[in-house]
Amino acid sequence: MKTAIPHSWLLPCLLGGLTLATPTFAQDEDAPYAYPDEERSEQNNSARRQRLQQDEDSPYAYPDEDKPERAQERQRRFEEDTAEDFRRAAEGDEEEKGFERMARLDDPNTGVAFEVIGGAMLLSSPRGQLLGDLLPAVGGRFTWEYGRLLGSEALREALWFDVRYTYAGVREGTALIVGDTKLHYATIAPAYELTFGESSDYGAYAQVGGGFAYEMTTVEIGGKVTPMDGMKLLIQYGVGLRGRTKLSMESNVRLAWRVELMRFRRGYQDDTFVGASLGTAF
């Protein structure tokens, strides 16, 4: 039997092929394979994080800081528009632009005051004295600033009126005959006030009004008393100084006071009152 001998050229070919073959190394099992799309995404995320870090470290530039000229121009136009609105309101054109006065809301006061009156009444004397009989007089009054209802800034505190009561009395005579006279004055008198400056709490005023005077007289002769009474219409007029002094910045309550010279014309007689009043305004 014959045995086939392998060709002698086969062994050199195998060795040459192993030598020229590219070596292949095993990949690390723990490291995942990086696809091209994932590599680009990771690069983009890294660049974005760097930009955010730079933005946080650098201060934010506001639009006004970038363009100060434009910001100044807007501020100037705003101030001009505001001044124009107030000018139109002062001239009475606020209805055309829908401008609403806020004086009623800005001023918490109601314009109401209560005062106690004290002074001297120079009562018209039948004896023909120049100034009349000097008598003490007391009373009280209620004041309301009705000018607040008119919507005019100039008349807001300039127009007001008083509801007033004043009393004066005299008793004189001899041991045989004694006369006792009591006078009660009740009046309503509007007034117009000129304040000492804009938004001032002090001013001078003139006042004219009307009312009535009730006079009650008793004549005592030898112990016998004879009463007499009567009522007359009167006219009240005069001038004075008025103030509403603030007592506290947190409260609406004020100290209301006046100094006045007032006359009461009843029939053919003129009674003159000189005095002052003190009270509270709200």
Side-chain angles (χ1 to χ4, degrees):
M1 183 180 68
K2 294 180 180 181
T3 304
I5 299 174
H7 295 286
S8 58
W9 52 270
L10 182 60
L11 181 60
C13 289
L14 291 175
L15 293 175
L18 292 175
T19 304
L20 297 177
T22 302
T24 301
F25 299 97
Q27 188 178 7
D28 189 3
E29 296 181 357
D30 296 336
Y33 180 75
Y35 295 95
D37 293 340
E38 293 181 355
E39 291 179 356
R40 286 194 297 269
S41 177
E42 181 64 26
Q43 292 175 358
N44 293 336
N45 293 335
S46 177
R48 188 179 298 107
R49 284 194 295 269
Q50 291 179 0
R51 287 196 301 269
L52 291 176
Q53 183 66 25
Q54 292 176 358
D55 292 341
E56 291 178 357
D57 295 339
S58 62
Y60 178 75
Y62 292 92
D64 292 344
E65 295 178 356
D66 295 338
K67 299 179 180 180
E69 295 82 3
R70 183 175 299 177
Q72 293 176 1
E73 180 66 18
R74 286 199 300 268
Q75 180 66 21
R76 185 183 63 81
R77 291 180 180 178
F78 175 77
E79 294 175 356
E80 290 179 355
D81 293 341
T82 304
E84 181 67 15
D85 287 342
F86 279 103
R87 185 191 65 79
R88 289 180 176 272
E91 294 177 356
D93 298 337
E94 66 275 8
E95 295 182 358
E96 299 180 2
K97 295 194 67 176
F99 188 90
E100 182 181 359
R101 293 184 180 274
M102 304 299 291
R104 298 179 184 177
L105 301 179
D106 295 339
D107 187 1
N109 294 306
T110 59
V112 174
F114 299 91
E115 300 175 43
V116 177
I117 302 172
M121 182 73 75
L122 300 173
L123 198 64
S124 181
S125 175
R127 294 188 291 269
Q129 293 175 313
L130 179 61
L131 297 178
D133 297 329
L134 182 62
L135 306 174
V138 295
R141 66 169 144 233
F142 162 77
T143 303
W144 180 43
E145 298 173 356
Y146 67 92
R148 296 170 179 264
L149 301 178
L150 303 180
S152 174
E153 196 71 20
L155 301 178
R156 181 173 175 79
E157 295 183 353
L159 296 179
W160 45 269
F161 72 85
D162 289 333
V163 178
R164 172 178 179 146
Y165 167 77
T166 310
Y167 167 80
V170 59
R171 180 181 177 88
E172 58 183 0
T174 64
L176 181 61
I177 302 174
V178 178
D180 188 4
T181 301
K182 297 181 177 62
L183 285 167
H184 304 269
Y185 305 86
T187 59
I188 299 178
Y192 181 79
E193 179 179 353
L194 293 175
T195 58
F196 301 146
E198 185 178 356
S199 301
S200 175
D201 296 328
Y202 308 96
Y205 67 90
Q207 189 173 31
V208 178
F212 64 88
Y214 175 72
E215 181 177 356
M216 182 176 180
T217 302
T218 58
V219 179
E220 182 179 351
I221 303 175
K224 184 179 179 180
V225 178
T226 303
M228 296 176 293
D229 61 352
M231 185 179 297
K232 291 183 179 180
L233 295 178
L234 63 81
I235 299 175
Q236 174 191 339
Y237 58 96
V239 295
L241 299 176
R242 177 173 178 250
R244 299 165 305 285
T245 305
K246 294 181 181 179
L247 298 177
S248 173
M249 297 301 295
E250 292 120 5
S251 175
N252 299 339
V253 180
R254 301 189 180 195
L255 179 66
W257 57 268
R258 286 196 224 174
V259 178
E260 62 183 2
L261 172 64
M262 204 66 56
R263 301 202 77 180
F264 300 93
R265 175 83 177 180
R266 51 186 180 96
Y268 61 90
Q269 295 176 309
D270 289 298
D271 302 329
T272 304
F273 174 81
V274 180
S277 63
L278 189 65
T280 305
F282 302 94

